[in-house]
Every structure is written in structure tokens, then in C-alpha cells.
Amino acid sequence: MPVPKRRTSKTKKNKRRSHDALTPPQFTSCPKCGEAVFPHRACAACGYYRGRQALPVEES
Ligand SMILES: [Zn+2]
């Protein structure tokens, strides 16, 4: 079974991981109800998308 000949240096390891950071999820507020909504998704609270009803409203 192949085994690395040299231990990976801290520099090499950190440079490899420099692109591994996660970005937080992007969202805006719904213009109708102000709830946080993901882009290109209908609002989960009021069901509106681009100024019209896109999903049936689910009231609890
Ligand atoms: Zn909404």
C-alpha cells in the first residue's frame, strides 16, 4: 500500500485549505412580509414570488 514519503508541511496543508472556507447562505427579505427568503425561491411564509402568489398559503 502506498504511503507518503514526507509529512505534508504546515505551509502546504494551509495553502491547500485556503479555498475550503464555506460561505454563509445568501438571503434577502420578502418585500411582502419581510421574512428571510432565498434568492429565486418563493417566500416560505407568504408564498409570494415576483409579485404574485406562487405557493398555497399555509396558516398554522
Ligand atoms: Zn413573504
Side-chain angles (χ1 to χ4, degrees), residues 2-5 8 10 14-15 24 26-27 31-32 35-38 40-44 49 51 53-55 59:
V3 168
K5 187 170 186 177
T8 303
K10 286 181 280 187
N14 290 338
K15 280 182 174 178
Q26 304 293 312
F27 58 87
K32 184 179 170 62
E35 191 74 23
V37 288
F38 293 110
H40 309 115
R41 297 290 184 274
C43 176
Y49 182 67
Q53 192 75 37
L55 291 174
E59 297 292 334

Side-chain angles (χ1 to χ4, degrees), residues 4-20:
K5 187 170 186 177
R6 293 272 181 248
R7 176 191 171 106
T8 303
S9 69
K10 286 181 280 187
T11 303
K12 181 73 177 172
K13 176 186 68 181
N14 290 338
K15 280 182 174 178
R16 180 174 67 237
R17 292 178 182 177
S18 71
H19 299 284
D20 289 358

Side-chain angles (χ1 to χ4, degrees), residues 30 33 43 46:
C30 175
C33 68
C43 176
C46 67

